[in-house]
Amino acid sequence: MTKTKKVSLTGLRFWCGLAAFLVVALLLLFRYLLRRWPLWSDVVSWLVGGGSFVLLVEYFLGLIRRERDRLKELSLEKREREVNFEQVFNLSPVVLMIVNSGGQITRVNRRVQDWLGYQPEELEGLDVAEIPFLSEKGKMKARILDQRVKGKRVEARELNFLTKGGAVKIGDLRVVPLPQVNDRRDDLLIISDVTASEEVDRAKTEFVAITSHQLLTPLTTIRWYAESLLKQEQHQDEERLREYLIQIYKTNQRMIGLVNTMLRVSRVEKEEIRFNLIEVSVQELIDSVLDELSILIQNKDIELVQKIEPVKGLRVDPEYFRIIVSNLLTNAVKYTPSRGRILIEVSPVEKKVIRGDTGVQEFTLTVEDNGCGIPPEQQKNVFTKLFRADNAREVDPEGTGLGLYIVKAIINSVGGQISFESEYNRGSRFTVRMPVDWTTSKFS
Amino acid sequence: MVEERKKVLIVEDEAPVRRIISDMIAPLGCEIIEAKDGESGLQKGLDNHPDVIILDIVMPGKGGLEMAEELRKDEWGRQVPVVILTNLKTARQSVEELGGEIIFIPKADWEIEDVVKVVKEILEVKDYLGEDQLGSGILAQKVRERLGFE
């Protein structure tokens, strides 16, 4: 609020004006009494009189102007507050609805348009019981009235909301009474979108269900084999006894593998990994992975071609690097039929020096096979958790669908990328591009 | 008179499970036919007309429920006793809706010995009930009664 002009100045002008007016009045009085005034006194008196009159008028005008300015300021402030309210109301990340004491919706914010597809204008004026996107409309009105009467808080979690297009979103609803103004008491309905967190919850629950089921199967198998071994009649022959024990052992190993994979997923997601960085030779690492797979590769008579260039200064966490290489190679071997061909390529990336900025030295690792490939419509899901392509499932029913998910997470965490090309029944080619030195990654 | 050997069809994708069921049933003297997915299971069922089918639910491609649904559309398939052996306990209702002679066994809760008993019982009850009575669920009910479970 700007300060008004100093009162003293105004007062002075007023008093001058008043004084001049009085002088003129006196002079005129004298004139009247003496009936003998020179002409110049007339002029002076009229000038002074006129001047003082003007001053008085100006003073009163000033008062009026000041009052008008004050009112203008007040009105501007009110406008500013209104605009702020509009902004806050409409920019709110939650849906806000104001309902009057009669149960009628008086205001709805813009968020309802983003979230549910309805224009605020479509909803304003409706009775709360007529809300098109709420399935429990009648109850809503009853709740609000009830809350008013008893002063109870109205809160509903995870309600279903229908968008204008017919989709379902999930939100939490709260009714907050607004302060009473005159004899009006409105309520504010706050609806917040929890669809995303609901989906995350659901995904987690599903994950637990699927992995529990995955564990239950081998556990049942082991149990049955053990039961049968414990019954006298069954292990009449040594051969069968040995076979059953081997089966128990193998199944057990499978479960340990599954649990380890799940723990890895958990650690990757919670970002609990800490890398132990050492300098390694890429050829040695790949050799050791190939060692593990050698029997399988031999049995399937797969042709293995290696084009591995040395990568200078390779400084990584061998355990996690191994996970990447092992996953890609195991997949290639698993999904390639007998007499197939697998190509492994490693090469440093040509460094482009831009204006003296050497950037990060990177290298690429490529694994290519001529196996069953990935069906085109399923390719976008390849790196998602628990995903298994239908043809992959046929080839290897035991896969977890977690391998590539973990691989991608590790690669991303070191600032690398993974991509692939694949043709159904022709083969796949996975390419990983990573920094040579993982020191700057977020897990180091 | 030589009695025809009974036939048992095992439809299960996990080889170790197929193996042990097969081993355990062998003493019953039946001919054992194996299938590792719903597709071939359905085919072998229709080709061989086994006396009982042991069926897993979770399999790649055509699952057990889908196979059983198609099976029930067939004249013969409508009356063949099916033992559903699965870890998916939530499938119980869908299984029972398949109708006919259905016995639901949640693998994790059952001993392999008892599974064999069920198969044995089915073959026996089937014998004395006669083919024309099959398909209504009466065989499954009798088996449940005799072995004392739900």
Side-chain angles (χ1 to χ4, degrees):
Chain A
M1 199 147 140
T2 55
K3 278 197 166 173
T4 48
K5 285 186 235 166
K6 283 189 220 151
V7 177
S8 53
L9 194 60
T10 320
L12 189 61
R13 287 171 77 160
F14 172 77
W15 291 118
C16 284
L18 191 62
F21 179 78
L22 285 173
V23 165
V24 169
L26 278 170
L27 282 175
L28 286 174
L29 186 67
F30 267 117
R31 188 165 180 222
Y32 175 78
L33 289 174
L34 297 177
R35 293 175 200 243
R36 234 195 320 217
W37 274 95
L39 196 60
W40 63 266
S41 64
D42 282 321
V43 173
V44 169
S45 65
W46 283 115
L47 274 175
V48 171
S52 60
F53 178 69
V54 164
L55 280 173
L56 271 173
V57 167
E58 203 199 308
Y59 172 73
F60 284 114
L61 281 178
L63 280 179
I64 294 170
R65 225 181 281 130
R66 261 198 305 281
E67 190 59 27
R68 200 192 58 198
D69 285 343
R70 193 175 72 90
L71 285 173
K72 206 172 171 184
E73 241 167 61
L74 279 176
S75 145
L76 271 174
E77 273 169 43
K78 177 165 179 249
R79 186 93 194 95
E80 210 177 294
R81 271 199 301 265
E82 272 174 13
V83 168
N84 279 344
F85 168 76
E86 283 299 309
Q87 279 181 331
V88 169
F89 190 64
N90 279 318
L91 289 176
S92 166
V94 296
V95 172
L96 297 172
M97 297 204 300
I98 300 181
V99 177
N100 68 14
S101 42
Q104 211 183 24
I105 300 170
T106 54
R107 285 298 311 273
V108 185
N109 72 352
R110 290 250 151 252
R111 186 85 181 95
V112 77
Q113 194 170 347
D114 301 331
W115 198 50
L116 294 173
Y118 288 96
Q119 306 265 9
E121 296 78 49
E122 286 177 73
L123 303 166
E124 283 160 8
L126 291 181
D127 190 285
V128 164
E130 293 165 12
I131 298 178
F133 54 74
L134 198 59
S135 44
E136 303 187 332
K137 305 169 204 176
K139 270 201 216 167
M140 183 56 15
K141 183 164 193 182
R143 268 198 186 127
I144 295 177
L145 294 174
D146 196 33
Q147 180 244 348
R148 272 205 199 106
V149 165
K150 299 180 192 164
K152 270 194 331 209
R153 186 200 284 235
V154 177
E155 232 180 81
R157 320 204 98 236
E158 292 171 18
L159 289 181
N160 282 346
F161 292 88
L162 287 169
T163 69
K164 202 165 183 188
V168 174
K169 299 245 175 132
I170 302 175
D172 287 347
L173 173 84
R174 269 180 64 197
V175 180
V176 176
L178 292 172
Q180 188 151 354
V181 172
N182 300 327
D183 54 354
R184 262 181 31 176
R185 235 210 53 196
D186 294 338
D187 290 284
L188 178 68
L189 264 66
I190 305 173
I191 306 173
S192 40
D193 183 7
V194 297
T195 318
S197 59
E198 174 77 13
E199 271 168 23
V200 167
D201 271 347
R202 203 174 295 157
K204 283 192 184 153
T205 309
E206 209 180 293
F207 181 68
V208 170
I210 291 176
T211 42
S212 302
H213 187 266
Q214 282 189 332
L215 280 174
L216 207 48
T217 305
L219 282 169
T220 312
T221 307
I222 291 178
R223 185 183 140 185
W224 279 2
Y225 275 77
E227 271 172 21
S228 129
L229 284 177
L230 290 169
K231 281 163 45 86
Q232 295 299 56
E233 315 94 71
Q234 286 313 314
H235 53 76
Q236 310 148 333
D237 58 297
E238 285 270 329
E239 185 59 40
R240 179 171 289 192
L241 185 118
R242 216 187 118 70
E243 277 172 18
Y244 276 27
L245 283 173
I246 290 176
Q247 190 57 247
I248 289 176
Y249 178 80
K250 276 168 46 174
T251 310
N252 194 26
Q253 289 293 87
R254 188 178 129 197
M255 280 200 303
I256 292 176
L258 180 59
V259 171
N260 273 332
T261 304
M262 292 197 293
L263 282 173
R264 224 172 267 148
V265 167
S266 164
R267 257 184 269 133
V268 156
E269 286 182 339
K270 285 161 65 171
E271 303 197 348
E272 279 172 9
I273 303 176
R274 285 290 164 265
F275 285 153
N276 288 324
L277 300 180
I278 59 174
E279 297 224 0
V280 295
S281 144
V282 71
Q283 181 73 64
E284 270 177 35
L285 248 156
I286 293 182
D287 282 343
S288 84
V289 172
L290 287 174
D291 251 351
E292 276 181 3
L293 296 168
S294 62
I295 299 180
L296 200 50
I297 294 175
Q298 261 175 34
N299 287 350
K300 283 176 117 175
D301 199 11
I302 288 176
E303 180 195 351
L304 197 60
V305 177
Q306 297 189 44
K307 288 195 190 147
I308 300 176
E309 291 169 39
V311 177
K312 239 174 25 163
L314 184 64
R315 195 179 152 76
V316 300
D317 180 316
E319 187 196 332
Y320 285 94
F321 188 68
R322 207 160 195 289
I323 292 175
I324 298 171
V325 174
S326 176
N327 244 286
L328 293 175
L329 281 175
T330 309
N331 280 352
V333 172
K334 267 199 305 195
Y335 300 124
T336 301
S338 300
R339 307 247 184 79
R341 179 178 179 272
I342 294 178
L343 166 66
I344 307 169
E345 281 178 320
V346 175
S347 64
V349 172
E350 277 288 315
K351 247 203 312 190
K352 286 188 216 139
V353 180
I354 306 166
R355 283 199 226 124
D357 172 16
T358 52
V360 170
Q361 176 69 56
E362 294 180 318
F363 72 101
T364 58
L365 161 72
T366 306
V367 176
E368 184 183 309
D369 65 69
N370 58 354
C372 61
I374 305 165
E377 68 278 3
Q378 305 195 344
Q379 286 188 10
K380 62 184 189 308
N381 296 327
V382 156
F383 294 110
T384 56
K385 218 163 158 187
L386 297 173
F387 172 74
R388 304 226 48 231
D390 292 333
N391 55 347
R393 242 186 252 268
E394 308 250 338
V395 168
D396 172 31
E398 288 175 15
T400 56
L402 295 169
L404 285 174
Y405 170 75
I406 294 174
V407 162
K408 180 159 198 262
I410 297 172
I411 291 171
N412 283 350
S413 77
V414 303
Q417 301 126 5
I418 178 168
S419 61
F420 69 95
E421 287 158 27
S422 181
E423 213 184 304
Y424 183 59
N425 277 339
R426 297 288 298 272
S428 308
R429 184 183 165 88
F430 278 78
T431 306
V432 177
R433 186 183 160 122
M434 289 190 286
V436 165
D437 187 342
W438 287 6
T439 309
T440 48
S441 81
K442 66 178 169 181
F443 290 144
S444 299
Chain B
M1 191 169 79
V2 177
E3 233 181 59
E4 226 178 65
R5 242 179 30 143
K6 296 283 198 307
K7 289 187 230 170
V8 177
L9 169 63
I10 305 175
V11 187
E12 162 68 64
D13 62 317
E14 304 243 343
V17 180
R18 269 201 317 271
R19 164 81 196 264
I20 193 162
I21 296 176
S22 175
D23 285 352
M24 292 294 141
I25 292 181
L28 295 176
C30 325
E31 180 190 336
I32 297 171
I33 308 164
E34 296 185 19
K36 59 180 159 90
D37 57 54
E39 200 59 66
S40 57
L42 185 62
Q43 199 53 56
K44 292 193 180 176
L46 296 172
D47 288 343
N48 294 285
H49 283 196
D51 295 279
V52 61
I53 302 179
I54 300 174
L55 181 55
D56 179 29
I57 291 188
V58 180
M59 293 188 286
K62 196 177 288 208
L65 283 177
E66 208 189 316
M67 182 205 133
E69 268 169 29
E70 286 183 32
L71 186 69
R72 287 297 188 228
K73 290 183 192 156
D74 176 83
E75 185 74 35
W76 167 84
R78 230 177 324 130
Q79 53 78 50
V80 65
V82 174
V83 177
I84 300 259
L85 215 52
T86 182
N87 275 320
L88 213 56
K89 291 193 202 177
T90 50
R92 184 170 204 138
Q93 189 169 2
S94 321
V95 162
E96 275 157 12
E97 281 169 14
L98 291 169
E101 313 295 348
I102 284 265
I103 296 199
F104 181 83
I105 296 183
K107 268 197 279 203
D109 299 343
W110 278 57
E111 292 185 18
I112 180 69
E113 199 173 80
D114 295 330
V115 174
V116 176
K117 278 192 197 150
V118 167
V119 175
K120 189 162 178 250
E121 201 64 33
I122 289 177
L123 294 173
E124 279 180 19
V125 173
K126 192 177 181 206
D127 263 345
Y128 87 75
L129 263 189
E131 296 244 334
D132 46 332
Q133 292 220 31
L134 296 181
S136 56
I138 186 169
L139 175 142
Q141 201 189 335
K142 279 238 174 296
V143 169
R144 280 194 281 263
E145 276 170 19
R146 282 165 63 149
L147 293 178
F149 68 91
E150 277 295 296

